[in-house]
Amino acid sequence: MHTLVPEQRYSKVTQHFILVFRWLCARLRAAARRQSRVEEGEIEMTSVRAAFPWLWESKSRWCKPIFPLILAITLTFAANPLSATVLPNEIVPGSVTATVSNTFDPVNGYSVTFQWTTVHQGNSVVIIEGSADYNANNNAPSRQVTDNTLTKNHTVVVDHFPAYTPYATWGYYVASHVEVPFCNTRTSVCWLWATYPGPATAACGHPAAPGCGGSYLTFNMATQPTNLNGPLVFTLWPIGGQNVYQGDPTQTPACTPTSKLNRECNDLYVNLQPNLMSGPTYMLVTMQNVVITDLDTGHVVNDGSITTEYLCSYDAPSNPPPTGWDGDYNDSSKTCSNGTVASINSALRIRVNSAAVPGHYQFTGQFQGQYDYVLYGSPVPVTYNFTVLPTASFTPTPPATFPPISNLAAWQNNMANQTPYGGQGLPYRSAEWWCTNNTDTNPWWSLDNGNFIGWFDIPSSIYFQAWNYDGGRIYQQVADYDYEVPGMPGYQNAAIRDHWKRCAQLAIEPYRDMAMGTLGGFTREPNQFPYGMEMNQLRTGDATNRKAIDYIQEAPGYYNFFSASAFATGARLSAYMMDDRLAAELVGEQRDSAFLLRQVDVMLGYLDQSYNLNFSNPNQQSYPIHPFTVGVAMEALITYYELDLAEGNVPDARIPLEIKKVLDWWQATQYIPSTHTMAYQVYDLPMDPSKVAGLYSATELNDLISPAYAWYWSKTGTASILSEGDDLFNHVFDSAGSNGVGGGWTYSVKEFNQVYKWSFDYVRWRTGQNPDGSSPAIETVQGAANPCEQGGSPCNAPWPDLSTPVQFTWVAGQNGQSPQIAPNALPAPVVTATSATFTFNVFKPNTTASIYYGTNTPGTCNLNNPTPPFCMQPYPNFGFLNMLTASYSNQSSTVTGTQDPIALSQGVTNIYDVTVAITGLSPSTTYHWRPLATDASGNMAAFYDQTFTTSAQ
């Protein structure tokens, strides 16, 4: 018998709960009496049943016994903040621990024991984020380990941890799918997800989003080898694709174990994932006793149809590689240096030629430590199973009809609408908005307003700028579509087309100049976008585009690598490297066949690792990637396929076959019906946007993958692919936020560019025609889609220079390093008591500059009423001079920039020095200042306001 404590002992919140609970019980008893007169399920669901189905299922008889339980939970909630992302307090917070083992297993490495307690019994799941991603705050877990034993006291031992990693701290959270009684109208129990304290999500606002405030717990591991003087012990945990296609017998010449000139053979790359547990770091490793066994027959393959190499890296001595090069390996000794230590590059390459018999195979071999021809430690056995598929064959069967696209009008409107965004509702922020608006500054300015305010769109670590996802490409696509498609606001209007071309210039030129000014040294994994420049080169003949593309593809650290690692995490980098090479080919350079053939093999392996993803494989520790990064890889492969068709080559039939497998895998395992998008990452739990908001609702990423569906459908007419791709495209704007405000792609131009970078090709393939109505559809970056604007060959159709003379600091290369540019940063002036000398750089020749300065703080723009003089006005009269004269009482003399001799000596031709001196200043006085630069075409730009203080007298 339960004794109830008098209500006055409870808080007001709890007293209110008691009254509500009693009211609910009374309603339930009355409903139960009505229910006794009808069959179960026929009575109309009341508001009580709809809101509290588990209470309804109790049929009122549980009101008394469950009252103390619910009251206890309510009191707990009132006394404590929510301490779990999903189903708070089901996982007891203080019970969650992670204990790192003190010793290692020579095969399985180190282990971590995770323990926690739940209120109800359930299974046990641990989600782990690697130390590098945790250190970078990437929120990218890369392991999910499950024990389906039902228990309240959970223990999961996870092995296959390395002895050391670059960063000490790892992240994790735990989850259980628990059995909760009396919560469903049909069954006696419900299975509910509980997690603690993740998955990692945004902080809770008002109202709190589902699952908000999630985070990681942590544990620490070593960052350096801990037993350098011990006996040599290392492990190999191979991971890679599981399928490789039999070579194509129609391709000649035939491959050899050390030569590949075409697709007569195909290569499967398997990362060996070495981990040193004990001993010195300098050991060589040799591969020995290799056997390939046909598992279908039991026979050993010794006819040369399947061969292997121990690959030390993915690079070559040069690019193009020397004649006879086939990879970074030692074919005679089968050794790699430092082969015992953690490496993303050492790999097993399995080569399959056209004589191989399709079927199931197994690689076995031993890897032995070696130094100075002496063997050390025990050999490490490696077994890897793979399947040889029949020679790829693909015959396109295009659809006969092209159904209308239901969301096409919204896509068109949100792309080119010239009506200013009003802060809510439709139209959303369009290409016009991100080019010209003067009211939005968070997280970045429009192209025009950034130039006016002095925060320029130069590539940097700030990714909310127009260069990201190739704004130059997007604005050229907008110019074409808006001009050529009937019903668009710019249809056959040359002035509007020229306006879009001006916006394209604003995005292209600083990016292109950055590539040239750093000799490609600014290039990083996520900032490689060559196609806007490639399209502009073909349209105008401006050779600086080609030069910039070359600098990007020849960037230090990338140029001599034919691909990123075969780890799936390399998908985006490999795709961007391929984009660079294909863009160079499209502007007239010779194909880098040796690299591209091998790069395609690696990239198809990423697709294979996607649709064959297996959480139960302990070697699977490097798939923390998202559907959109796989989509980026698909885009590169499709461009390669389409370029082969355009050049009259036989395209790689593996590409459509493997893309189809990923599309099917996405639909079966990653698609979230309630939000019409893909799970952002595969490891987080639960995969339910109603429980964890944010991770499963980023629809602005849909159009980085929907074009792959449209492309495959355009080749096959497969109805399911049409439906699935349309669903993604038609819901791309869903996460723009309530009434189009704030929460989604409208946040910055980055999200806008993610929507429109590739979706013009979706529309082309999906409608079967180009914007001008011609067919067949041509991919937007292909040569035929970018004819010279004034005809002729070679092309000579320059655009008038309407871009701005941005200002920055150039830093010369030292000790063989590339020069660098500090964007949005100018050096402080050199001051005396009465003078200041300013130095900075510009990209354009014949640029003049002066300094505006004064002691008063300049006025600021009222974004709610952007009137002059402090707010930018529409092109072409932005109002620079009015703003500067209203803000500063003094102006220096005007000087002309001169070409930087050090830059010129380092091969950089677009760096100009500006030096401005002012005198007559007051000692110990703080001044505000801004430089105004004006190029030879009259375009202006003014760096943002800064201060300096003169020295004492």
Short mmCIF file of all heavy atoms in Angstrom, two decimals, residues 630-682:
data_model
loop_
_atom_site.label_atom_id
_atom_site.label_comp_id
_atom_site.label_asym_id
_atom_site.label_seq_id
_atom_site.Cartn_x
_atom_site.Cartn_y
_atom_site.Cartn_z
N VAL A 630 30.09 12.02 -49.58
CA VAL A 630 30.01 10.96 -50.58
C VAL A 630 29.42 11.54 -51.87
O VAL A 630 29.83 11.17 -52.98
CB VAL A 630 29.17 9.79 -50.07
CG1 VAL A 630 29.07 8.67 -51.12
CG2 VAL A 630 29.76 9.22 -48.78
N GLY A 631 28.44 12.46 -51.73
CA GLY A 631 27.88 13.12 -52.91
C GLY A 631 28.92 13.91 -53.67
O GLY A 631 28.91 13.93 -54.92
N VAL A 632 29.83 14.56 -52.96
CA VAL A 632 30.91 15.28 -53.63
C VAL A 632 31.77 14.32 -54.44
O VAL A 632 32.20 14.62 -55.56
CB VAL A 632 31.76 16.04 -52.59
CG1 VAL A 632 33.03 16.57 -53.19
CG2 VAL A 632 30.95 17.21 -52.00
N ALA A 633 32.03 13.13 -53.89
CA ALA A 633 32.79 12.12 -54.63
C ALA A 633 32.01 11.64 -55.85
O ALA A 633 32.58 11.45 -56.94
CB ALA A 633 33.11 10.94 -53.72
N MET A 634 30.71 11.45 -55.70
CA MET A 634 29.89 11.06 -56.84
C MET A 634 29.92 12.12 -57.94
O MET A 634 30.01 11.79 -59.13
CB MET A 634 28.44 10.83 -56.39
CG MET A 634 28.22 9.60 -55.56
SD MET A 634 26.46 9.49 -55.14
CE MET A 634 26.41 7.90 -54.33
N GLU A 635 29.86 13.38 -57.54
CA GLU A 635 29.89 14.45 -58.54
C GLU A 635 31.18 14.39 -59.36
O GLU A 635 31.16 14.53 -60.59
CB GLU A 635 29.76 15.81 -57.86
CG GLU A 635 29.78 16.97 -58.85
CD GLU A 635 29.73 18.34 -58.20
OE1 GLU A 635 29.80 18.42 -56.96
OE2 GLU A 635 29.65 19.34 -58.95
N ALA A 636 32.32 14.19 -58.69
CA ALA A 636 33.59 14.11 -59.42
C ALA A 636 33.60 12.92 -60.36
O ALA A 636 34.06 13.02 -61.51
CB ALA A 636 34.74 14.03 -58.42
N LEU A 637 33.11 11.78 -59.91
CA LEU A 637 33.08 10.59 -60.76
C LEU A 637 32.16 10.79 -61.95
O LEU A 637 32.47 10.35 -63.07
CB LEU A 637 32.64 9.38 -59.94
CG LEU A 637 33.65 8.86 -58.90
CD1 LEU A 637 32.99 7.88 -57.95
CD2 LEU A 637 34.85 8.23 -59.60
N ILE A 638 31.02 11.45 -61.74
CA ILE A 638 30.08 11.71 -62.84
C ILE A 638 30.69 12.67 -63.84
O ILE A 638 30.55 12.50 -65.06
CB ILE A 638 28.74 12.23 -62.27
CG1 ILE A 638 28.00 11.09 -61.56
CG2 ILE A 638 27.88 12.83 -63.38
CD1 ILE A 638 26.79 11.55 -60.77
N THR A 639 31.38 13.71 -63.35
CA THR A 639 32.05 14.64 -64.27
C THR A 639 33.09 13.91 -65.11
O THR A 639 33.22 14.16 -66.32
CB THR A 639 32.69 15.79 -63.49
OG1 THR A 639 31.66 16.50 -62.78
CG2 THR A 639 33.41 16.76 -64.41
N TYR A 640 33.83 13.01 -64.50
CA TYR A 640 34.81 12.19 -65.21
C TYR A 640 34.12 11.34 -66.28
O TYR A 640 34.58 11.26 -67.43
CB TYR A 640 35.54 11.32 -64.20
CG TYR A 640 36.50 10.30 -64.76
CD1 TYR A 640 37.66 10.67 -65.42
CD2 TYR A 640 36.24 8.93 -64.61
CE1 TYR A 640 38.55 9.72 -65.91
CE2 TYR A 640 37.12 7.98 -65.09
CZ TYR A 640 38.27 8.38 -65.75
OH TYR A 640 39.14 7.42 -66.24
N TYR A 641 33.00 10.73 -65.92
CA TYR A 641 32.23 9.91 -66.85
C TYR A 641 31.73 10.75 -68.03
O TYR A 641 31.88 10.37 -69.20
CB TYR A 641 31.05 9.29 -66.11
CG TYR A 641 30.23 8.29 -66.88
CD1 TYR A 641 30.43 6.92 -66.71
CD2 TYR A 641 29.21 8.70 -67.75
CE1 TYR A 641 29.66 5.99 -67.40
CE2 TYR A 641 28.44 7.78 -68.43
CZ TYR A 641 28.67 6.42 -68.27
OH TYR A 641 27.89 5.51 -68.96
N GLU A 642 31.17 11.92 -67.73
CA GLU A 642 30.62 12.78 -68.78
C GLU A 642 31.73 13.37 -69.66
O GLU A 642 31.54 13.56 -70.86
CB GLU A 642 29.78 13.89 -68.16
CG GLU A 642 28.50 13.40 -67.48
CD GLU A 642 27.53 12.75 -68.48
OE1 GLU A 642 27.32 13.32 -69.57
OE2 GLU A 642 27.00 11.67 -68.15
N LEU A 643 32.88 13.66 -69.06
CA LEU A 643 33.99 14.17 -69.86
C LEU A 643 34.50 13.10 -70.82
O LEU A 643 34.84 13.41 -71.98
CB LEU A 643 35.12 14.64 -68.94
CG LEU A 643 36.35 15.25 -69.62
CD1 LEU A 643 35.96 16.41 -70.54
CD2 LEU A 643 37.37 15.70 -68.59
N ASP A 644 34.55 11.86 -70.38
CA ASP A 644 34.91 10.77 -71.30
C ASP A 644 33.94 10.71 -72.48
O ASP A 644 34.36 10.56 -73.64
CB ASP A 644 34.92 9.43 -70.56
CG ASP A 644 36.32 9.03 -70.11
OD1 ASP A 644 37.30 9.60 -70.62
OD2 ASP A 644 36.44 8.15 -69.24
N LEU A 645 32.65 10.81 -72.20
CA LEU A 645 31.67 10.80 -73.29
C LEU A 645 31.91 11.97 -74.24
O LEU A 645 31.88 11.80 -75.46
CB LEU A 645 30.26 10.87 -72.71
CG LEU A 645 29.69 9.61 -72.07
CD1 LEU A 645 28.32 9.90 -71.46
CD2 LEU A 645 29.58 8.48 -73.09
N ALA A 646 32.15 13.16 -73.68
CA ALA A 646 32.34 14.34 -74.51
C ALA A 646 33.59 14.22 -75.37
O ALA A 646 33.64 14.75 -76.50
CB ALA A 646 32.43 15.59 -73.64
N GLU A 647 34.61 13.51 -74.88
CA GLU A 647 35.86 13.37 -75.62
C GLU A 647 35.88 12.14 -76.52
O GLU A 647 36.88 11.87 -77.17
CB GLU A 647 37.02 13.31 -74.63
CG GLU A 647 37.24 14.62 -73.86
CD GLU A 647 38.36 14.52 -72.84
OE1 GLU A 647 38.82 13.38 -72.56
OE2 GLU A 647 38.80 15.57 -72.34
N GLY A 648 34.78 11.40 -76.54
CA GLY A 648 34.71 10.23 -77.40
C GLY A 648 35.37 9.00 -76.82
O GLY A 648 35.63 8.02 -77.55
N ASN A 649 35.64 9.00 -75.52
CA ASN A 649 36.22 7.83 -74.86
C ASN A 649 35.12 6.91 -74.35
O ASN A 649 33.97 7.31 -74.20
CB ASN A 649 37.09 8.27 -73.68
CG ASN A 649 38.17 9.25 -74.08
OD1 ASN A 649 38.77 9.12 -75.14
ND2 ASN A 649 38.41 10.25 -73.23
N VAL A 650 35.49 5.67 -74.07
CA VAL A 650 34.55 4.73 -73.46
C VAL A 650 34.51 5.04 -71.97
O VAL A 650 35.52 4.91 -71.28
CB VAL A 650 34.98 3.27 -73.69
CG1 VAL A 650 34.03 2.32 -72.96
CG2 VAL A 650 35.04 2.97 -75.18
N PRO A 651 33.37 5.45 -71.43
CA PRO A 651 33.33 5.81 -70.02
C PRO A 651 33.43 4.58 -69.13
O PRO A 651 33.19 3.45 -69.56
CB PRO A 651 31.98 6.51 -69.88
CG PRO A 651 31.13 5.91 -70.95
CD PRO A 651 32.06 5.63 -72.10
N ASP A 652 33.75 4.82 -67.89
CA ASP A 652 33.95 3.74 -66.92
C ASP A 652 32.59 3.23 -66.45
O ASP A 652 31.88 3.91 -65.69
CB ASP A 652 34.76 4.27 -65.74
CG ASP A 652 35.26 3.18 -64.82
OD1 ASP A 652 34.64 2.11 -64.79
OD2 ASP A 652 36.27 3.41 -64.13
N ALA A 653 32.23 2.03 -66.86
CA ALA A 653 30.92 1.47 -66.54
C ALA A 653 30.75 1.18 -65.06
O ALA A 653 29.62 1.01 -64.58
CB ALA A 653 30.69 0.19 -67.34
N ARG A 654 31.83 1.11 -64.32
CA ARG A 654 31.71 0.87 -62.88
C ARG A 654 31.02 2.03 -62.18
O ARG A 654 30.36 1.82 -61.13
CB ARG A 654 33.11 0.67 -62.27
CG ARG A 654 33.87 -0.55 -62.78
CD ARG A 654 35.29 -0.58 -62.20
NE ARG A 654 36.06 0.59 -62.60
CZ ARG A 654 37.23 0.90 -62.06
NH1 ARG A 654 37.75 0.18 -61.09
NH2 ARG A 654 37.90 1.98 -62.48
N ILE A 655 31.15 3.24 -62.71
CA ILE A 655 30.66 4.42 -62.00
C ILE A 655 29.15 4.38 -61.80
O ILE A 655 28.67 4.51 -60.66
CB ILE A 655 31.14 5.70 -62.72
CG1 ILE A 655 32.66 5.83 -62.57
CG2 ILE A 655 30.42 6.93 -62.19
CD1 ILE A 655 33.28 6.95 -63.37
N PRO A 656 28.33 4.19 -62.84
CA PRO A 656 26.89 4.13 -62.57
C PRO A 656 26.49 2.93 -61.72
O PRO A 656 25.57 3.04 -60.90
CB PRO A 656 26.27 4.07 -63.97
CG PRO A 656 27.35 3.60 -64.88
CD PRO A 656 28.62 4.15 -64.29
N LEU A 657 27.17 1.79 -61.90
CA LEU A 657 26.82 0.61 -61.11
C LEU A 657 27.07 0.84 -59.63
O LEU A 657 26.24 0.48 -58.78
CB LEU A 657 27.63 -0.60 -61.59
CG LEU A 657 27.47 -0.99 -63.06
CD1 LEU A 657 28.32 -2.22 -63.37
CD2 LEU A 657 26.01 -1.25 -63.42
N GLU A 658 28.20 1.44 -59.29
CA GLU A 658 28.52 1.67 -57.88
C GLU A 658 27.70 2.81 -57.28
O GLU A 658 27.31 2.76 -56.11
CB GLU A 658 30.02 1.96 -57.74
CG GLU A 658 30.90 0.76 -58.05
CD GLU A 658 30.64 -0.39 -57.10
OE1 GLU A 658 30.96 -0.28 -55.91
OE2 GLU A 658 30.08 -1.41 -57.56
N ILE A 659 27.42 3.83 -58.06
CA ILE A 659 26.56 4.91 -57.56
C ILE A 659 25.18 4.37 -57.21
O ILE A 659 24.61 4.71 -56.16
CB ILE A 659 26.49 6.05 -58.59
CG1 ILE A 659 27.79 6.85 -58.57
CG2 ILE A 659 25.29 6.97 -58.32
CD1 ILE A 659 27.86 7.97 -59.58
N LYS A 660 24.64 3.50 -58.05
CA LYS A 660 23.32 2.93 -57.76
C LYS A 660 23.32 2.17 -56.43
O LYS A 660 22.36 2.25 -55.65
CB LYS A 660 22.93 1.98 -58.90
CG LYS A 660 21.65 1.17 -58.67
CD LYS A 660 20.43 2.05 -58.47
CE LYS A 660 19.12 1.28 -58.70
NZ LYS A 660 18.99 0.06 -57.89
N LYS A 661 24.39 1.46 -56.12
CA LYS A 661 24.45 0.72 -54.86
C LYS A 661 24.41 1.66 -53.67
O LYS A 661 23.77 1.36 -52.65
CB LYS A 661 25.72 -0.14 -54.82
CG LYS A 661 25.75 -1.27 -55.84
CD LYS A 661 27.08 -1.99 -55.82
CE LYS A 661 27.18 -3.02 -56.92
NZ LYS A 661 28.50 -3.70 -56.95
N VAL A 662 25.09 2.81 -53.77
CA VAL A 662 25.08 3.77 -52.67
C VAL A 662 23.69 4.41 -52.54
O VAL A 662 23.18 4.59 -51.43
CB VAL A 662 26.15 4.86 -52.86
CG1 VAL A 662 26.06 5.91 -51.75
CG2 VAL A 662 27.54 4.23 -52.85
N LEU A 663 23.07 4.75 -53.65
CA LEU A 663 21.73 5.33 -53.59
C LEU A 663 20.76 4.37 -52.90
O LEU A 663 19.94 4.80 -52.08
CB LEU A 663 21.23 5.67 -54.99
CG LEU A 663 22.07 6.64 -55.83
CD1 LEU A 663 21.38 6.94 -57.16
CD2 LEU A 663 22.37 7.93 -55.07
N ASP A 664 20.86 3.09 -53.20
CA ASP A 664 19.99 2.11 -52.56
C ASP A 664 20.31 1.97 -51.08
O ASP A 664 19.40 1.83 -50.24
CB ASP A 664 20.14 0.75 -53.26
CG ASP A 664 19.54 0.74 -54.65
OD1 ASP A 664 18.74 1.65 -54.98
OD2 ASP A 664 19.87 -0.17 -55.43
N TRP A 665 21.60 2.01 -50.74
CA TRP A 665 21.99 1.91 -49.32
C TRP A 665 21.50 3.12 -48.55
O TRP A 665 20.99 2.98 -47.43
CB TRP A 665 23.51 1.79 -49.23
CG TRP A 665 24.04 1.84 -47.83
CD1 TRP A 665 23.94 0.87 -46.87
CD2 TRP A 665 24.75 2.93 -47.22
NE1 TRP A 665 24.56 1.28 -45.71
CE2 TRP A 665 25.06 2.53 -45.89
CE3 TRP A 665 25.17 4.18 -47.66
CZ2 TRP A 665 25.76 3.36 -45.02
CZ3 TRP A 665 25.87 5.00 -46.79
CH2 TRP A 665 26.15 4.59 -45.48
N TRP A 666 21.65 4.30 -49.12
CA TRP A 666 21.13 5.49 -48.46
C TRP A 666 19.64 5.34 -48.16
O TRP A 666 19.18 5.61 -47.06
CB TRP A 666 21.34 6.71 -49.36
CG TRP A 666 22.68 7.35 -49.23
CD1 TRP A 666 23.59 7.20 -48.22
CD2 TRP A 666 23.26 8.29 -50.14
NE1 TRP A 666 24.70 7.97 -48.45
CE2 TRP A 666 24.53 8.65 -49.62
CE3 TRP A 666 22.84 8.85 -51.34
CZ2 TRP A 666 25.37 9.55 -50.26
CZ3 TRP A 666 23.68 9.76 -51.98
CH2 TRP A 666 24.92 10.10 -51.45
N GLN A 667 18.90 4.94 -49.17
CA GLN A 667 17.45 4.86 -49.00
C GLN A 667 17.07 3.83 -47.95
O GLN A 667 16.13 4.03 -47.18
CB GLN A 667 16.79 4.52 -50.34
CG GLN A 667 15.32 4.92 -50.43
CD GLN A 667 15.12 6.44 -50.38
OE1 GLN A 667 16.02 7.21 -50.71
NE2 GLN A 667 13.94 6.87 -49.96
N ALA A 668 17.82 2.73 -47.87
CA ALA A 668 17.49 1.66 -46.95
C ALA A 668 17.92 1.95 -45.52
O ALA A 668 17.26 1.50 -44.57
CB ALA A 668 18.13 0.36 -47.42
N THR A 669 19.00 2.71 -45.33
CA THR A 669 19.56 2.84 -43.99
C THR A 669 19.73 4.26 -43.49
O THR A 669 19.81 4.48 -42.28
CB THR A 669 20.94 2.15 -43.92
OG1 THR A 669 21.88 2.88 -44.74
CG2 THR A 669 20.86 0.71 -44.39
N GLN A 670 19.82 5.26 -44.37
CA GLN A 670 20.16 6.60 -43.94
C GLN A 670 19.04 7.62 -44.14
O GLN A 670 19.11 8.72 -43.60
CB GLN A 670 21.41 7.10 -44.70
CG GLN A 670 22.62 6.20 -44.55
CD GLN A 670 23.01 6.00 -43.10
OE1 GLN A 670 23.28 6.95 -42.38
NE2 GLN A 670 23.03 4.74 -42.66
N TYR A 671 18.05 7.29 -44.91
CA TYR A 671 16.98 8.24 -45.22
C TYR A 671 16.05 8.40 -44.02
O TYR A 671 15.65 7.43 -43.38
CB TYR A 671 16.19 7.76 -46.43
CG TYR A 671 15.02 8.64 -46.78
CD1 TYR A 671 15.21 9.92 -47.28
CD2 TYR A 671 13.71 8.18 -46.60
CE1 TYR A 671 14.13 10.73 -47.60
CE2 TYR A 671 12.62 8.98 -46.93
CZ TYR A 671 12.84 10.25 -47.42
OH TYR A 671 11.76 11.05 -47.73
N ILE A 672 15.69 9.66 -43.70
CA ILE A 672 14.79 9.99 -42.59
C ILE A 672 13.46 10.47 -43.19
O ILE A 672 13.37 11.62 -43.64
CB ILE A 672 15.38 11.08 -41.69
CG1 ILE A 672 16.81 10.75 -41.30
CG2 ILE A 672 14.51 11.27 -40.46
CD1 ILE A 672 17.00 9.52 -40.47
N PRO A 673 12.44 9.63 -43.24
CA PRO A 673 11.19 10.04 -43.91
C PRO A 673 10.56 11.29 -43.32
O PRO A 673 10.00 12.11 -44.06
CB PRO A 673 10.28 8.81 -43.72
CG PRO A 673 11.22 7.66 -43.50
CD PRO A 673 12.39 8.24 -42.75
N SER A 674 10.63 11.46 -42.00
CA SER A 674 9.93 12.60 -41.39
C SER A 674 10.54 13.93 -41.75
O SER A 674 9.85 14.96 -41.69
CB SER A 674 9.92 12.43 -39.86
OG SER A 674 11.25 12.43 -39.35
N THR A 675 11.82 13.95 -42.13
CA THR A 675 12.47 15.21 -42.51
C THR A 675 12.92 15.24 -43.96
O THR A 675 13.48 16.24 -44.41
CB THR A 675 13.69 15.49 -41.60
OG1 THR A 675 14.56 14.35 -41.63
CG2 THR A 675 13.26 15.76 -40.19
N HIS A 676 12.70 14.15 -44.69
CA HIS A 676 13.01 14.10 -46.12
C HIS A 676 14.49 14.42 -46.39
O HIS A 676 14.82 15.17 -47.31
CB HIS A 676 12.12 15.06 -46.91
CG HIS A 676 10.66 14.79 -46.74
ND1 HIS A 676 9.98 13.86 -47.48
CD2 HIS A 676 9.76 15.34 -45.88
CE1 HIS A 676 8.71 13.83 -47.09
NE2 HIS A 676 8.56 14.72 -46.12
N THR A 677 15.33 13.84 -45.58
CA THR A 677 16.76 14.04 -45.78
C THR A 677 17.51 12.83 -45.24
O THR A 677 16.90 11.87 -44.76
CB THR A 677 17.24 15.34 -45.10
OG1 THR A 677 18.55 15.64 -45.56
CG2 THR A 677 17.22 15.23 -43.60
N MET A 678 18.85 12.88 -45.34
CA MET A 678 19.69 11.80 -44.85
C MET A 678 20.21 12.11 -43.46
O MET A 678 20.39 13.27 -43.09
CB MET A 678 20.88 11.58 -45.80
CG MET A 678 20.51 11.26 -47.23
SD MET A 678 19.68 9.66 -47.36
CE MET A 678 19.16 9.71 -49.10
N ALA A 679 20.48 11.07 -42.70
CA ALA A 679 21.16 11.26 -41.43
C ALA A 679 22.50 11.93 -41.69
O ALA A 679 23.21 11.56 -42.62
CB ALA A 679 21.37 9.92 -40.73
N TYR A 680 22.84 12.92 -40.87
CA TYR A 680 24.07 13.66 -41.11
C TYR A 680 25.29 12.77 -40.95
O TYR A 680 26.28 12.93 -41.64
CB TYR A 680 24.14 14.84 -40.14
CG TYR A 680 25.31 15.76 -40.39
CD1 TYR A 680 25.39 16.49 -41.58
CD2 TYR A 680 26.32 15.90 -39.46
CE1 TYR A 680 26.46 17.34 -41.81
CE2 TYR A 680 27.39 16.75 -39.69
CZ TYR A 680 27.46 17.47 -40.86
OH TYR A 680 28.52 18.32 -41.11
N GLN A 681 25.23 11.83 -40.01
CA GLN A 681 26.31 10.87 -39.86
C GLN A 681 25.72 9.54 -39.39
O GLN A 681 24.67 9.49 -38.76
CB GLN A 681 27.37 11.38 -38.90
CG GLN A 681 26.84 11.87 -37.58
CD GLN A 681 27.72 12.97 -37.02
OE1 GLN A 681 28.56 13.53 -37.70
NE2 GLN A 681 27.54 13.28 -35.75
N VAL A 682 26.42 8.47 -39.70
CA VAL A 682 25.84 7.14 -39.55
C VAL A 682 25.91 6.60 -38.14
O VAL A 682 25.20 5.65 -37.80
CB VAL A 682 26.52 6.15 -40.51
CG1 VAL A 682 26.31 6.56 -41.94
CG2 VAL A 682 28.00 6.00 -40.19
#
